[in-house]
């Protein structure tokens, strides 16, 4: 008969996510992870696999927690208005002094892990984000908010690299003025492709 779980898997993942988020992959031990979730190391391994597999699961969970940011664009009838809301939210989060750990995905990127599976997961996240931006930019072209000749692929690459740059800077607690200056510059690049400058 299989073992019955006597703990909330999602809650345990959230607790271990916080440990990885604070310390990174290399500095975190399985003993620390088990303790944070109130588990034995045996239960940890039986439920989540090894440390690498667990790290990827927590990265995926962090990614899921962050989907509301993309929803600001996707659910807005006007992609451009959605992009404005998205970048404003990015700036606010980047200057939030309670978010001292920065972005977990960005932290994982900076850590430059040699583990192939972790690196592959991180690369996939960045590629998917870029594809999402392009899809929304293409939507803006289709409904006439952006000019027909807009290079949405290049613009999506620019947006993805810009957001990662902001998240790296957030680790050193930049001023709100500096952060919003960067965001305003990003929006000014988008504005160059607008069919209607008043948007």
């Amino acid at each position: 008969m299989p073992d019955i779980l006597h703990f909330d898997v999602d809650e345990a993942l959230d607790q271990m996510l916080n440990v990885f988020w604070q310390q990174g992959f290399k500095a975190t031990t399985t003993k620390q992870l088990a303790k944070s979730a109130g588990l034995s190391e045996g239960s940890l391994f039986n439920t989540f696999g090894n440390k690498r597999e667990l790290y990827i699961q927590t990265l995926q969970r962090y990614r899921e927690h962050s989907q509301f940011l993309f929803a600001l664009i996707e659910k807005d009838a006007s992609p451009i208005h959605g992009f404005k809301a998205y970048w404003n939210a990015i700036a606010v989060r980047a200057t939030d002094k309670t978010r001292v750990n920065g972005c977990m995905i960005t932290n994982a990127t900076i850590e430059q892990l040699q583990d192939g599976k972790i690196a592959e997961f991180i690369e996939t996240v960045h590629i998917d984000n870029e594809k999402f931006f392009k899809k929304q930019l293409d939507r803006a072209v289709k409904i006439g908010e952006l000019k027909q000749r807009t290079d949405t692929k290049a613009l999506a690459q620019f947006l993805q690299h810009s957001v990662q740059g902001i998240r790296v800077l957030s680790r050193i607690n930049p001023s709100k003025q500096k952060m919003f200056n960067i965001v305003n510059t990003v929006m000014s690049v988008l504005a160059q492709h607008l069919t209607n400058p008043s948007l």
Side-chain angles (χ1 to χ4, degrees):
M1 175 179 275
D3 291 336
I4 299 175
L5 294 178
H6 295 288
F7 62 92
D8 188 307
V9 172
D10 289 337
E11 184 178 340
L13 272 175
D14 283 338
Q15 294 301 321
M16 292 183 285
L17 181 157
N18 286 328
V19 178
F20 276 131
W21 194 0
Q22 293 169 16
Q23 300 181 175
F25 177 77
K26 294 178 182 178
T28 298
T29 67
T30 54
K31 183 176 181 179
Q32 291 172 324
L33 293 168
K35 182 179 180 180
S36 72
L39 303 173
S40 68
E41 289 188 74
S43 294
L44 184 78
F45 294 133
N46 290 336
T47 306
F48 301 103
N50 60 32
K51 178 182 168 183
R52 176 185 66 189
E53 292 168 342
L54 178 54
Y55 185 55
I56 292 174
Q57 289 178 62
T58 58
L59 286 173
Q60 178 59 34
R61 189 154 180 81
Y62 178 87
R63 187 184 184 191
E64 292 167 359
H65 288 335
S66 302
Q67 288 305 302
F68 76 94
L69 290 168
F70 293 117
L72 293 173
I73 308 172
E74 189 172 34
K75 293 184 178 181
D76 198 310
S78 164
I80 298 305
H81 288 166
F83 272 113
K84 289 179 179 179
Y86 170 86
W87 283 99
N88 182 70
I90 290 294
V92 169
R93 287 164 70 85
T95 55
D96 183 352
K97 296 187 183 300
T98 66
R99 290 177 54 82
V100 295
N101 298 320
C103 169
M104 188 175 176
I105 300 294
T106 301
N107 295 348
T109 305
I110 295 171
E111 197 171 3
Q112 295 182 333
L113 301 172
Q114 299 304 311
D115 186 290
K117 287 192 175 181
I118 296 175
E120 182 181 353
F121 176 84
I122 295 169
E123 182 180 7
T124 298
V125 172
H126 292 306
I127 291 173
D128 287 349
N129 291 351
E130 187 178 305
K131 287 180 178 178
F132 172 81
F133 285 142
K134 184 178 186 304
K135 180 179 179 180
Q136 298 308 313
L137 291 168
D138 287 339
R139 181 163 70 96
V141 171
K142 185 176 181 179
I143 66 175
E145 289 189 339
L146 293 179
K147 298 173 184 177
Q148 287 294 321
R149 293 185 178 182
T150 299
D151 187 341
T152 56
K153 181 177 180 179
L155 199 50
Q157 291 171 343
F158 166 74
L159 293 176
Q160 174 60 14
H161 283 77
S162 295
V163 74
Q164 289 307 311
I166 285 176
R167 285 169 170 163
V168 171
L169 286 174
S170 72
R171 295 300 302 273
I172 57 175
N173 296 319
S175 68
K176 286 188 177 182
Q177 180 178 354
K178 179 183 291 187
M179 196 55 63
F180 277 98
N181 283 344
I182 295 172
V183 167
N184 289 338
T185 300
V186 170
M187 291 309 302
S188 72
V189 172
L190 273 176
Q192 294 175 22
H193 301 276
L194 291 175
T195 56
N196 180 2
S198 65
L199 281 175

